Amino acid sequence: MRYLLPYIKKYRKEAVLAPLFKMLEACFDLLVPLIVADIIDNGIGREDNTYILIRFGWLVGMAVLGLSCTVVAQYFSARAAIGTATGLRHSLIAKIQTLGFTELDTIGTSTLVTRMTSDVNQVQNGVNLFLRLFLRSPFIVFGSMIMAFLIDAKIALVFVAAIAILFVIVFGMMALTKPRYGRVQNALDSVTEEVRENLGGVRVIRAFGREELQEEEFRTANTLLYRAQMRVGRLVALLNPLTYLVVNTAIILVLWLGAGKVNDGTLLSGDIIALINYVSQILVELVKLANTIVALGKALAGVSRIGEVLDTESSIRYGNESADAESAEAVRFENVSLRYHGAGDASLSNVTFRAMRGETVGIIGGTGSGKSSLVHLIPRFYDATSGEVFLSGKPIRALSKEALLSSVAIVDQRPRLFSGTVRENLLWGKGDATDEELWEALEIAQAADFIREKPKGLDEPVTAGGSNFSGGQRQRLTIARAVVSHADILILDDSTSALDYATDAALRRALRTLPSHMTVFIVSQRTGSIAYADRILVLEDGELVGEGKHESLLATSSVYREIYESQFKGETKA
């Protein structure tokens, strides 16, 4: 509940008024059997039609008032439930934005999606039902028992026994179903992950004819979800039969005991009808309570899973220092090693190098050599397992988040564009950039030509993921987005792989026109893309095995020479 209370407190009025109006409605419900008994005993028994009509008018009036109370209660409970769910979603997305890549990798994207959607919806439904029924149903149950005592104390003992047994059944079912609903939600995570992978990789699946394999994997995950739901479903299915059994047994006992009292003249027939009505009310309310318990079981499982995310602490802790704009040193690694969470081997081992301000640094190596891992340490996507990374002469852990983000711009391997317009995507780099700055960045990224050809230019729509642009166009737009930020350090992480050689060469020439203070890191598989760099880092199995210019590395680094010779020796260095 500690995760919900801060949000429910914002809706104190609604959270109080909803159950109050429900209790008022319940009071009218408790009076109905007494009025019906009065009609039977004093109206029908005496054949007094006027008396019957007056009491019937009372019933209609209470029905109208009860309906009005129900509508008001529904409004307030829905308002409180939706507001609570909205607050939870805001907190979840805010928390996710603070988590480091390590935590995001550990938790997993699919489970975060499930917790943001399904789990929050379960909580919303649970809060709504709780405010409407969790107090009303017990009030009706105990109120019916009290009214039964007012009619006949001996028969009322049947109510006491029935209520005690029913509460054991209901709350026992709640205790049994809560962990099982947690397992259902975990199985739903797996189904979500399968759907996400299939939708994201649909082209690859079809290209390799792997539809049947993916269907089988989805079927396996879906079967696990089905079995988890069936296990809890079989358990929940016992709830209604058990409650009906207890209540109908109580009705039989009331009729049996009441028949003798009517014959003795100690009870009137209307009193028996009232007692039966109270038993029926107990039945209806306990069925509602049972359904509420099921919903609360799901909600509690959802709250627990949401709480796991909210309680997760980011491994990234920022300092409060600013970058040193006068430092001649841009980046320095001192014996840096990196091991991802849960990985067996280190991705980087004892890497040491220095990049000066204004230099262009090329990074090359075989697949899995640690190139992306190295550049991901510069914007602090991950923290080094050992060693120290310095930015502008200061330990990177000492810098504030604002100082770090304003100093580094990165273009990832996979170009990511967001729904909106070209302008809105570029303004991610610099929110107050002018059109002139945007076109300048597009020119450098070799994207200006195809944007000018678009009917709306900078206001051309971009679909989610940029699917209305080709792979090369998306890469150039993401490069332009990074360039417009005017960051001190620009990282291109294999972000020109979809470009042809001519466009790649033109991009490299344009990058040389960037301000002299900007340090550029270029991760590439092509030796031609980094041959002109002031410094080239050669990685193999996470270790720095070569450092220097193109010509010296050809002479001194067998790894670099092998990569170079595996490509065209006649490749121009541009």
Side-chain angles (χ1 to χ4, degrees):
M1 286 297 292
R2 66 187 178 93
Y3 304 107
L4 294 179
L5 285 177
Y7 310 105
I8 295 179
K9 283 181 179 178
K10 296 179 182 179
Y11 297 89
R12 285 192 190 92
K13 181 182 72 175
E14 289 82 355
V16 171
L17 288 176
L20 280 180
F21 275 95
K22 272 294 181 181
M23 301 277 271
L24 185 58
E25 177 207 359
C27 291
F28 293 131
D29 288 346
L30 289 173
L31 291 174
V32 167
L34 293 180
I35 296 175
V36 171
D38 188 35
I39 291 174
I40 293 171
D41 293 335
N42 300 315
I44 298 174
R46 297 175 182 175
E47 297 183 356
D48 188 343
N49 293 333
T50 303
Y51 192 88
I52 294 172
L53 289 174
I54 291 172
R55 294 299 185 272
F56 182 75
W58 288 8
L59 291 177
V60 173
M62 285 193 292
V64 172
L65 290 173
L67 177 63
S68 301
C69 292
T70 299
V71 171
V72 174
Q74 294 277 35
Y75 170 77
F76 285 127
S77 62
R79 183 177 171 84
I82 293 171
T84 299
T86 301
L88 270 179
R89 287 193 185 95
H90 280 302
S91 293
L92 269 174
I93 196 66
K95 183 65 177 184
I96 290 169
Q97 295 297 333
T98 67
L99 297 178
F101 278 33
T102 299
E103 290 73 41
L104 293 176
D105 293 343
T106 302
I107 298 173
T109 304
S110 61
T111 185
L112 289 174
V113 171
T114 305
R115 295 178 201 213
M116 283 283 294
T117 53
S118 177
D119 287 341
V120 173
N121 287 339
Q122 299 285 14
V123 172
Q124 177 180 317
N125 189 41
V127 171
N128 193 2
L129 288 175
F130 179 84
L131 292 177
R132 289 195 291 114
L133 299 176
F134 204 73
L135 291 180
R136 181 190 188 280
S137 294
F139 181 80
I140 289 286
V141 170
F142 287 108
S144 297
M145 183 180 69
I146 292 170
M147 299 301 257
F149 269 103
L150 294 176
I151 295 172
D152 188 277
K154 183 178 179 181
I155 295 178
L157 294 176
V158 174
F159 284 68
V160 175
I163 291 170
I165 295 171
L166 287 170
F167 267 82
V168 170
I169 293 172
V170 169
F171 285 97
M173 191 66 68
M174 183 177 180
L176 290 172
T177 55
K178 181 188 172 184
R180 288 169 172 80
Y181 278 120
R183 287 193 281 273
V184 168
Q185 291 301 103
N186 290 334
L188 182 59
D189 288 344
S190 299
V191 172
T192 304
E193 176 64 20
E194 288 295 330
V195 172
R196 180 172 170 271
E197 284 189 345
N198 286 334
L199 292 176
V202 63
R203 289 181 175 85
V204 177
I205 293 168
R206 291 180 181 176
F208 287 91
R210 308 293 283 182
E211 292 93 341
E212 291 185 5
L213 177 62
Q214 292 303 111
E215 287 175 8
E216 182 59 34
E217 290 183 357
F218 177 81
R219 190 178 294 111
T220 300
N222 201 36
T223 300
L224 291 175
L225 174 60
Y226 167 78
R227 289 174 179 170
Q229 289 176 320
M230 286 300 294
R231 279 192 289 269
V232 71
R234 291 189 189 100
L235 196 59
V236 171
L238 295 173
L239 193 57
N240 281 353
L242 288 174
T243 53
Y244 274 100
L245 175 64
V246 174
V247 170
N248 284 313
T249 302
I251 290 175
I252 292 170
L253 290 173
V254 168
L255 289 173
W256 179 42
L257 295 173
K261 289 183 176 289
V262 170
N263 290 332
D264 296 341
T266 55
L267 277 181
L268 298 174
S269 57
D271 295 330
I272 299 300
I273 297 298
L275 288 171
I276 296 300
N277 281 338
Y278 283 127
V279 174
S280 299
Q281 282 190 358
I282 290 174
L283 172 62
V284 171
E285 292 306 320
L286 283 172
V287 169
K288 290 180 182 178
L289 184 61
N291 292 329
T292 302
I293 294 298
V294 171
L296 286 178
K298 295 178 180 179
L300 290 172
V303 168
S304 178
R305 284 160 49 82
I306 291 168
E308 290 174 6
V309 178
L310 296 178
D311 287 340
T312 301
E313 294 296 330
S314 176
S315 58
I316 304 294
R317 294 286 187 275
Y318 292 98
N320 53 17
E321 295 189 24
S322 300
D324 184 2
E326 303 300 322
S327 173
E329 181 183 87
V331 175
R332 184 168 88 248
F333 278 45
E334 288 188 357
N335 298 317
V336 170
S337 297
L338 173 65
R339 185 191 302 273
Y340 292 111
H341 178 76
D345 299 322
S347 297
L348 293 174
S349 300
N350 299 317
V351 174
T352 299
F353 73 90
R354 176 182 297 181
M356 307 306 291
R357 188 178 296 273
E359 280 190 336
T360 297
V361 181
I363 303 175
I364 197 168
T367 302
S369 59
K371 303 184 296 298
S372 293
S373 297
L374 188 148
V375 295
H376 283 172
L377 293 175
I378 299 174
R380 283 196 78 187
F381 290 165
Y382 299 91
D383 271 337
T385 308
S386 62
E388 191 72 66
V389 178
F390 293 84
L391 193 70
S392 298
K394 293 186 177 181
I396 199 168
R397 298 173 195 262
L399 296 177
S400 67
K401 185 177 182 179
E402 294 73 19
L404 181 62
L405 295 179
S406 62
S407 299
V408 182
I410 184 169
V411 183
D412 211 350
Q413 290 178 337
R414 276 193 255 175
R416 288 177 174 84
L417 296 175
F418 298 87
S419 57
T421 64
V422 171
R423 184 195 306 277
E424 289 170 349
N425 273 273
L426 295 181
L427 289 176
W428 277 57
K430 183 182 178 185
D432 59 352
T434 63
D435 282 6
E436 182 181 352
E437 290 177 298
L438 298 182
W439 282 112
E440 181 184 357
L442 289 169
E443 291 285 357
I444 292 172
Q446 308 303 302
D449 289 342
F450 71 81
I451 293 299
R452 287 194 183 97
E453 293 173 359
K454 300 292 183 182
K456 297 183 180 179
L458 289 173
D459 294 314
E460 183 69 18
V462 178
T463 59
S467 58
N468 57 330
F469 291 91
S470 70
Q473 288 174 337
R474 289 199 297 270
Q475 284 191 336
R476 283 177 278 174
L477 286 174
T478 53
I479 292 171
R481 182 174 61 196
V483 169
V484 81
S485 67
H486 300 304
D488 294 327
I489 298 172
L490 174 64
I491 301 171
L492 305 179
D493 184 7
D494 203 14
S495 54
T496 61
S497 57
L499 303 185
D500 58 76
Y501 281 91
T503 305
D504 187 17
L507 173 62
R508 284 184 274 121
R509 285 193 296 270
L511 289 175
R512 297 178 198 176
T513 66
L514 292 172
S516 58
H517 71 274
M518 183 177 286
T519 304
V520 181
F521 285 82
I522 300 176
V523 177
S524 180
Q525 301 286 352
R526 302 173 184 170
T527 53
S529 297
I530 61 171
Y532 73 96
D534 301 304
R535 187 189 308 271
I536 299 173
L537 306 178
V538 184
L539 296 176
E540 184 179 37
D541 295 331
E543 296 182 357
L544 183 61
V545 296
E547 179 180 359
K549 289 183 176 291
H550 174 69
E551 291 79 5
S552 64
L553 287 172
L554 284 176
T556 60
S557 174
S558 60
V559 175
Y560 185 78
R561 185 168 59 252
E562 182 180 344
I563 295 172
Y564 176 75
E565 290 177 352
S566 68
Q567 301 169 6
F568 296 104
K569 290 186 178 181
E571 185 181 89
T572 59
K573 293 184 284 185

